[in-house]
Amino acid sequence: MTATLLQGCQSTQSLKPNPLESSKLKTQIAAEYIRTGDLNLAKQSLDEAIAQDPSNSQANMMMAVTYQIDGGAINQKKADSFYKRAISLDPKDPQIRNNYGQFLFTQGQYQEASEQFEIAGNTIEYFNRTFSLANLGQCYIKLNQFAKAEAAFTRALRLDKNTSSAIVGLADLYYQQGKTNLAYDVYHDYLNLTDEKTADANGLIVGIRILSKTGNRTEAQALAELLARKFPSSPEYSEYRSKYRF
């Protein structure tokens, strides 16, 4: 998101700034600072946005994101507090629910995260609902509720068959259930959707897990080399080095 500063016509009388519009603008500016990694300036803009309009749910959500990215136990508690405040201000906003679910997932609170993803995924007008459903499936895997996980992934793919996170999630689910051939078939849908630029670390390691079982060493080696080039510091690459090393 980028903010555009508009200059009005000159007047003999000074115009009083609209605090609500100013709060929205500062929230947009903060989002751009977050995108570029300048969390200090992002927080300054959000402090001003919330001071101008304490009911600005988006500003409270973005403040939560800022603290979440910055890390540390104290900041994670602050992030949780701002997410809860954002939800209290706009409980029907699916983006806030999805973001809070992602935060809770990183904290290992899978049941609580699933509740947020379910709300977001059931919001028909939410443009990212398929990703929320894919996230819901990941929560159910963590909770060992495999039937619910499969239903969530399948629903996401019914809405959009090209939802790569749902494809990878479903393939990984089948792998964990010992359905290796089915996992392999599903995973190839992911390979057909992605290339070296769009492949992510999770998608690559899931493929390596599956291919290590099916004996497709050439394919597995290609994925491992891509994982090493793109994500050498990732937990997924560490898993590859410790368990596979073709």
Side-chain angles (χ1 to χ4, degrees), residues 29 37 48 54 59 61 68 77 113 117 121 123 145-146 157 160 168 177 182 208 222 225-226 231 235 239:
I29 293 172
E48 295 172 2
M61 179 188 72
Q68 179 181 350
K77 290 181 179 179
F117 290 135
T123 304
Q145 298 179 22
F146 294 147
L157 293 172
D160 182 359
V168 172
Q177 292 178 309
L182 188 55
I208 291 170
E225 291 173 358
L226 182 56
F231 310 103
E239 177 184 337

Side-chain angles (χ1 to χ4, degrees), residues 201-202 205 227-228 230-241:
N202 182 60
I205 194 62
L227 181 63
K230 289 190 67 177
F231 310 103
S233 301
S234 66
E236 289 82 2
Y237 184 60
S238 296
E239 177 184 337
Y240 161 70
R241 286 176 57 85

Side-chain angles (χ1 to χ4, degrees), residues 207-235:
I208 291 170
R209 291 171 191 154
I210 294 169
L211 294 170
S212 69
K213 290 290 187 181
T214 60
N216 298 73
R217 294 181 63 85
T218 301
E219 286 185 277
Q221 182 63 45
L223 296 182
E225 291 173 358
L226 182 56
L227 181 63
R229 288 200 307 272
K230 289 190 67 177
F231 310 103
S233 301
S234 66

Side-chain angles (χ1 to χ4, degrees), residues 108-130:
Q109 300 179 51
Y110 304 121
Q111 180 59 47
E112 294 82 356
S114 72
E115 294 167 4
Q116 300 302 320
F117 290 135
E118 188 164 9
I119 292 171
N122 283 323
T123 304
I124 293 176
E125 64 273 19
Y126 180 39
F127 68 97
N128 267 337
R129 66 186 298 221
T130 57

